[in-house]
Amino acid sequence: MAANPQDDWVNVEVDGVAVKGRKGAMIIHVTDAHGAYVPRFCYHDKLPVAANCRMCLVEVEKAPKPLPACATPIAEGMKIYTRSKAAIGAQKATMEFLLINHPLDCPICDQGGECELQDLALGYGRDIARFSERKRIVKDKDLGPLVSTDMTRCIHCTRCVRFGQDVAGIQELGTTGRGEHMEIGTFVEKSVEHELSGNIIDLCPVGALNSKPFRYQGRSWEMSQASLVSPHDGIGTNIFGHVLRGKLKRVVSRANDAVNETWIADRDRFSYEAVNAADRLATPMIRTEAGWREASWDEALAAAARGLKAAGAQTGMLVHPSASTEEAYLAVRIARSLGSAHVDHRLRQRDFRDAQSDPRAPSLGMPLEAVDTLSGLLVIGANLRSELPLLAHRVRKAVVRAGASVGFLDLAARPYLFPVAVQLAASPDAWVAELAGIVAAAAQSSGTTPSAALASLLQAVKIDDTHRQAAAALGNGSRRAVWLGALAYRHSRYADLRALAGELARLTGATLGLLAEGGNAAGAWLAGAVPHRAAAGAATASGCDANAMLARGLRAYVTVGAIESDDFVDGELAARAFSQAACVIALTPFDDAAVHRYAHVLLPIGTFAETSGTFVNLEGRWQSFTAAAKAPGETRPGWKVLRVLGNLLECVGFDYQSSEDVREELRRAVLAAGVEPTFVSAHTVESLQGAAVTDDVPVYAVDALVRRAPALQATVVARRSRGEVA
């Protein structure tokens, strides 16, 4: 007999108004849904219920005493009163209790103006405290360079503790003692090291946990707020930038359940420090025989135009994978107008074989929200916690809450903070053979015939139990995925890995996800910032890839974005190529010492916080933003600099008035191209064996912004990656 949908709902009353709520929902869910506000501290809709602050007490008819709204499920016919004398009395009594030991130091507290305790005390507190005993004092804890503590302010809501347990998957914070002597802290004075640890700052409803870099930098009511998108990875994390007198002072989470829920990674939160770095380039500069000198924009752009005209088709255009889509599109148009097809944003990629099979843009192959419900996943060449922290969080949700089976092929077995079905750790030389073993095991278990291009190769593979376990991770459930991460992209046999991954996805009915690195790799692809594709993925005359144009030695190079030696596969090769070129033009926010040595024209452009633009994330979502902070000195938005440079080079159709004009021109081209067909590799894997290399880039070294953030570089994670601590 079919279930009746009406059975999923119950009828209740909230303050005399008849409403419906889902069976099993708590009272607070129903009151929130129908606009009946109930005060709370410990409750958070993304955390498990604790019901330990008691601020959400409400009156329920026939109940002997007020009940916590966050932990009381609704029932048929329940009558709830949120504003009755009993409810208000219980809430006021709770507030008085919470303020007994609170230092009441609002004038000097960083949380002042956005403190939940402060707000609720106004409505539920007493004018004069009745408590006359000595207040307790709690010693502050050292949680590392990111989070400051004032533990006397703590009200024991345990949001921070539950975040570690339920969201991060690691209990870095816990409680000791009982009653008045209860304290929250780390184990044996250990610092907080998780890559999402800064979220406890947003979660804390009082001033107990605050941003250490932001401490005493400004008041909430003094700052303006702007919506931004993080530039560090392909998630497209939504953030708010808080600006004081034109300077970006703080970054906090901007809730978007479809992208980042309410969380942001620590590098999203603290990399803003680089926006105010001491080595910001604030004035155009030209190198002469006498050395560097400052120049006007007209002079610098004229010099750049002369150099590019002289180089013509011998110009190499290198675009940072975190440059905005608009910047990438204009850079490509300039290169093509010069007759050059030497355009690329894949600065750390080694293997460019099988380019004809490249998709229009790298993609996760599914919405980010769908990751939460995966049943099987194999991740090839990815340190997820480092490369895509919020994607790693969603994978953890899929494992812990949906029972997903996850396997990894990686350089080492990493601590993923969730049960892993199999971690196949191998040297880069063995990756192709190991992945081929997994493909052969999947074909064997499914009884599916491999493709003709790989059939003979797979026959030579020796299948072991590890291969069968990895294949089994994809064998059950309705939603399966195979992902290639940044380590796979940087692998010298990437084409072989991609062909085998595509075959594995076909055999198992899984979705193939390509997790390209950079905050806007998908946007760069759509903009045509590759040598063999035009905008929207159209085929075109092919030029040199990033490595080839550096090895070949072109007459001129243009770098767009904060491109430094650490961003290349071979920084020394890049430095040699640039130093030997007749003209190197750098559009960059920073006056990097290496760039200073080899460039001829420096053009200061704004960071992600100082310009308008668009990022396209790995699910294909276009997210636009506008400038939040004032750029230093003569700095200009990158797209404007490129537009004027295009005008000086007499490029056709460079009459854009805004970044929105650029975006819409490209968007129309993408829409006209239609839906991209399913990825199928035409590549033949010739051998299972062969020398190979890849690079594991630390989480706080992925781009120039995080490399310039003092707080991030002071963390144990960053220091460990530099070999400074064990």
Side-chain angles (χ1 to χ4, degrees), residues 274-275 279-285 297 301 318-320 322-324 327-328 558-563 585-591 602-612 630-643 645 705:
V275 174
D279 65 344
R280 284 297 304 270
L281 182 65
T283 306
M285 300 188 72
W297 271 106
L301 287 169
L318 294 163
V319 181
H320 197 281
S322 292
S324 72
E327 291 167 350
V558 181
T559 63
V560 181
I563 296 178
I585 300 162
L587 284 74
T588 176
F590 304 109
D591 191 6
L602 297 178
L603 302 176
I605 63 171
T607 65
F608 75 101
E610 299 156 342
T611 186
S612 59
K630 182 181 179 182
E634 297 296 313
T635 300
R636 298 289 185 268
W639 74 269
K640 283 188 177 182
V641 176
L642 289 164
R643 182 201 63 189
L645 184 59
L705 287 170

Side-chain angles (χ1 to χ4, degrees), residues 140-161:
D140 294 335
K141 309 296 190 298
D142 184 4
L143 303 186
L146 305 181
V147 183
S148 69
T149 63
D150 289 275
M151 302 311 297
T152 303
R153 301 170 184 163
C154 179
I155 62 171
H156 303 155
C157 72
T158 69
R159 282 185 181 182
C160 56
V161 177

Side-chain angles (χ1 to χ4, degrees), residues 324-326 611-615 623-627 639 659-660 663:
S324 72
T325 306
E326 293 83 352
T611 186
S612 59
T614 303
F615 291 156
Q623 299 187 111
S624 296
F625 50 90
T626 58
W639 74 269
S659 62
E660 288 82 1
R663 179 194 67 207

